[in-house]
Amino acid sequence: MSNEFKFTYTQGDFRQGANQNFDFRDFDFNNFNQQFAQRPGLGEVEKAKEFFGFTHTPTKEEVKKRYKELARKYHPDINNSDDSLMQELNHYKDVLFQHLG
């Protein structure tokens, strides 16, 4: 069985007033795109889980707890003023929180 979809249109489908129930001006394309742009991709979520050391999808409480542990470890004062690990930690924390909703 094929999973293909085929859409057909007639010239009447595109005439003004052919479908009076739908108006493109009612659809907020900018907001629609922003919602998808703000969601992290699955690859990014997997990197974040790996960085935090999770083998499962964590809860928000687990992320908060692990963040505090890693923040103590990666803080620039401890890493000779190198803040790259702290920046990564903050980025991946945001990724996980966005993924968890």
Side-chain angles (χ1 to χ4, degrees), residues 49-86:
K49 286 173 26 180
E50 183 179 318
F51 186 87
F52 271 76
F54 294 121
T55 56
H56 62 286
T57 300
T59 65
K60 285 187 176 186
E61 292 304 314
E62 289 175 315
V63 173
K64 288 177 186 178
K65 181 180 177 185
R66 185 71 177 138
Y67 175 82
K68 289 178 184 179
E69 294 169 2
L70 292 174
R72 281 187 228 114
K73 180 178 177 181
Y74 295 148
H75 194 277
D77 290 345
I78 296 170
N79 288 310
N80 300 322
S81 298
D82 181 14
D83 68 340
S84 61
L85 289 172
M86 195 67 191

Side-chain angles (χ1 to χ4, degrees), residues 16-99:
Q16 186 173 358
N19 185 351
Q20 295 182 4
N21 296 327
F22 184 80
D23 187 349
F24 281 103
R25 293 172 292 197
D26 293 336
F27 192 79
D28 185 359
F29 288 98
N30 291 327
N31 186 36
F32 181 79
N33 288 333
Q34 287 174 355
Q35 288 174 353
F36 284 98
Q38 291 172 356
R39 302 292 292 184
L42 290 178
E44 193 74 4
V45 172
E46 292 304 315
K47 288 180 191 176
K49 286 173 26 180
E50 183 179 318
F51 186 87
F52 271 76
F54 294 121
T55 56
H56 62 286
T57 300
T59 65
K60 285 187 176 186
E61 292 304 314
E62 289 175 315
V63 173
K64 288 177 186 178
K65 181 180 177 185
R66 185 71 177 138
Y67 175 82
K68 289 178 184 179
E69 294 169 2
L70 292 174
R72 281 187 228 114
K73 180 178 177 181
Y74 295 148
H75 194 277
D77 290 345
I78 296 170
N79 288 310
N80 300 322
S81 298
D82 181 14
D83 68 340
S84 61
L85 289 172
M86 195 67 191
Q87 288 177 1
E88 247 185 305
L89 177 64
N90 287 323
H91 169 72
Y92 286 137
K93 174 192 62 132
D94 293 341
V95 167
L96 288 173
F97 278 148
Q98 287 175 2
H99 177 70

